[in-house]
Amino acid sequence: MTLCVITRSPAGTRALGRAVGSCLGPGAVLALSGDLGSGKTVFVQGLARGLAVPEEYYVTSPTYTLVHEYPGRCPLFHIDLYRLEGGADLDDLGLPDLLGGEGVVAVEWAERLDRTALPAAYVRVRIETGPDDERTVRFTPCGDGTDTLRKIETVVKEKQWD
Ligand code: ADP
Ligand code: MG
């Protein structure tokens, strides 16, 4: 079961992220993958708005700190593993405590994580670059992530995301 959405602008991807954020709650984990510049951070910017993170928080990739926390309806933990260099970083990050905890977790470059580091339930979000500004965003549940995917499907299905 994979949910596939096409966007044709950064605003479209942001709106998609916002819709997804509006339906998520504590414990939800999104594992984002896709090339550099595919739109993972743009998606998380929308996600933050959907979780009611105030507009004054500008969402950027936490490249040097690895994790940013934003206050919203529940906390949003935004993680970027692009510069991850070995297990020590992961311990510093406190990842096991964040995953499945009180907040929503969005991990960029999640493919750099060992499978065992991910929780029992999460949704993989893979973004592929197409011609021009087209992006294909695929949501796939992993483990018990099916419930979360159903919620996402409900809010995402009815609209066009251009
Ligand atoms: P990543 O976090 O995956 O490395 P970013 O979100 O930082 O990528 O950057 C995506 C780049 O692609 C931005 O410069 C954005 O303006 C551009 N872009 C063009 N079309 C789209 C689209 N449909 N969705 C998202 N980003 C897009
Ligand atoms: Mg990024």
Side-chain angles (χ1 to χ4, degrees):
M1 173 178 162
T2 293
L3 175 66
C4 185
V5 180
I6 292 175
T7 72
R8 294 190 169 81
S9 67
T13 300
R14 232 174 254 122
L16 174 64
R18 182 179 197 133
V20 171
S22 73
C23 76
L24 296 182
V29 177
L30 300 180
L32 293 134
S33 62
D35 293 340
L36 201 61
S38 57
K40 300 180 292 299
T41 300
V42 167
F43 179 88
V44 177
Q45 287 168 348
L47 193 73
R49 299 290 95 90
L51 284 164
V53 173
E55 296 282 344
E56 61 258 35
Y57 289 91
Y58 182 68
V59 175
T60 52
S61 251
T63 305
Y64 294 101
T65 51
L66 290 178
V67 57
H68 280 166
E69 179 179 351
Y70 300 101
R73 200 159 27 77
C74 66
L76 167 64
F77 298 102
H78 181 197
I79 298 168
D80 190 323
L81 301 176
Y82 186 59
R83 281 168 206 264
L84 185 70
E85 283 163 11
D89 290 350
L90 273 184
D91 292 343
D92 296 346
L93 188 63
L95 191 72
D97 295 333
L98 295 183
L99 294 172
E102 80 210 76
V104 168
V105 181
V107 190
E108 296 191 37
W109 296 97
E111 63 269 45
R112 302 205 169 177
L113 276 182
D114 200 83
R115 246 199 102 76
T116 56
L118 283 160
Y122 65 99
V123 171
R124 197 182 301 146
V125 184
R126 172 147 194 90
I127 308 181
E128 269 160 33
T129 311
D132 301 321
D133 285 348
E134 191 177 292
R135 300 289 191 272
T136 304
V137 187
R138 284 199 178 79
F139 299 88
T140 313
C142 296
D144 304 325
T146 320
D147 285 353
T148 306
L149 190 75
R150 287 225 177 80
K151 286 186 206 155
I152 294 174
E153 195 172 19
T154 310
V155 293
V156 158
K157 249 184 153 176
E158 305 123 25
K159 288 192 196 153
Q160 283 285 102
W161 298 102
D162 296 0

